[in-house]
Amino acid sequence: MATTNLSIYNKENLPNAGAYRFGIVISDWNSEVTYNLHKGAVDTLLDLGAKESDIDSIFVPGSVELVYGATKLCNTKLYDAVIVIGCVIRGETAHFDYVCNTVTDGVTYLNTHMDTPVVFCVLTDDHVQQSLDRSGGKLGNKGVEAGVVAVRMAELKNK
């Protein structure tokens, strides 16, 4: 787990996002976390030059459904990068492991079989406070990092 602020980036060392389109898939589950991550990602894309009209967001029920949503966006061939945003918090059963593995494997598959890069912004924490700390709390906002990664990957895709 990161224990430093995740929201710090140097805009001057990053490409301008103005030429790119972005898709974002957000899980409604743990929305107090995922919606903050979404805001961090969108604000960062805009700060790096993306136009609001070039950022599309869709919402899905849970983290497992992120892969389906990302697949739909990738298949349109409209986007230079897609971000998936979710939050899985460990419970008392193995459900946590199944969900985390399913999402990770799905995003890995998309990144090796599609032409559109898919950025993984799924928090997998032991308790709610860890997720809150990483979605706008004392450790910054992991969504900001996802926005930066999406711009860099969009540039790589278009080289």
Side-chain angles (χ1 to χ4, degrees):
M1 286 284 161
T3 56
T4 60
N5 191 311
L6 305 169
S7 301
I8 300 169
Y9 62 91
N10 185 342
K11 191 173 171 177
E12 297 189 13
N13 293 336
L14 296 168
N16 184 288
Y20 305 127
R21 289 197 65 183
F22 301 93
I24 307 175
V25 187
I26 308 97
S27 167
D28 286 326
W29 195 261
N30 293 317
S31 61
E32 68 280 5
V33 172
T34 61
Y35 292 7
N36 285 339
L37 295 169
H38 177 240
K39 182 179 181 341
V42 169
D43 288 351
T44 300
L45 294 172
L46 294 172
D47 184 52
L48 294 174
K51 296 180 272 312
E52 206 167 317
S53 59
D54 288 333
I55 303 169
D56 295 324
S57 299
I58 62 171
F59 294 83
V60 297
S63 289
V64 170
E65 294 79 21
L66 292 170
V67 176
Y68 180 80
T71 301
K72 295 291 277 185
L73 293 183
C74 289
N75 282 335
T76 69
K77 302 196 184 306
L78 294 174
Y79 302 100
D80 296 290
V82 170
I83 301 170
V84 295
I85 295 176
C87 175
V88 186
I89 299 171
R90 189 177 303 279
E92 296 178 3
T93 69
H95 182 74
F96 173 89
D97 298 313
Y98 295 122
V99 172
C100 293
N101 289 336
T102 299
V103 177
T104 303
D105 291 347
V107 171
T108 299
Y109 179 87
L110 293 175
N111 274 319
T112 57
H113 288 80
M114 298 287 220
D115 188 45
T116 303
V118 178
V119 177
F120 187 87
C121 182
V122 179
L123 298 184
T124 56
D125 293 317
D126 289 325
H127 52 78
V128 173
Q129 190 58 53
Q130 287 177 329
S131 296
L132 294 172
D133 289 346
R134 290 161 175 77
S135 62
K138 68 180 182 181
L139 295 176
N141 188 322
K142 190 80 168 160
V144 170
E145 184 179 331
V148 169
V149 171
V151 172
R152 292 186 63 200
M153 294 305 292
E155 180 184 51
L156 177 62
K157 176 185 187 243
N158 287 287
K159 278 192 174 183

